[in-house]
Amino acid sequence: MVARDVERNTVAEPFSVPVVVRGYETDTQGHLNQAVYLQYAEHARWSLLQAGGIRQSDLLDKGVGPVALEVTVRYLRELRAGDEVEVTCTFVWGEGKTFRIDQTIRKADGTVAAEVTGVGGLMDLRARRLVADPREHFRALAASPETFGL
């Protein structure tokens, strides 16, 4: 199992981005569609990369790209159109080829609507294999490594 490489060695303060639930993202019951939670989490991850000084083109120029290996969503409270939420994102670094990303989707009143936990890696796009130490690649690419808990 890929998750065994991940340990709680280094944790940064959670990064967060605001999102407002849009009506077209809801299902027939008026709840945020379950797949959209994953899109919010993805938006927060890419926003964190940008905040740390890593653009998608920077990754491609170095021949690497982030990959999701496992994602778990715990749906705790419903979200409806117009709800304002904060989506947090924290990298948790281990010693192996993988890392964990912990995310929380929290309503404006503090209620946790969902928790998203993922195991990821950084793929060498030429070799099509995970790089040995993704932490070092992020540290080298980032203008602000502390954004990633480095």
Side-chain angles (χ1 to χ4, degrees), residues 11-51:
V11 180
E13 280 296 310
F15 171 84
S16 69
V17 294
V19 177
V20 177
V21 176
R22 295 165 289 258
Y24 63 83
E25 297 172 325
T26 60
D27 60 21
T28 57
Q29 290 86 24
H31 305 143
L32 183 64
N33 179 278
Q34 52 89 22
V36 179
Y37 288 83
L38 293 172
Q39 292 173 350
Y40 287 2
E42 182 81 0
H43 171 65
R45 290 192 299 272
W46 281 104
S47 295
L48 172 61
L49 287 173
Q50 186 174 13

Side-chain angles (χ1 to χ4, degrees), residues 5 12 34 43 46 53 55 64 68-70 73 75 80 88-90 96 109-110 114 133 137 139 143 146 148:
D5 288 340
Q34 52 89 22
H43 171 65
W46 281 104
R55 297 171 303 159
V64 296
L69 303 169
E70 175 183 309
V73 181
Y75 302 99
R80 296 179 157 285
T88 67
C89 187
T90 304
D109 68 3
D133 190 353
H137 284 269
R139 190 184 327 268
E146 64 278 3
F148 304 97

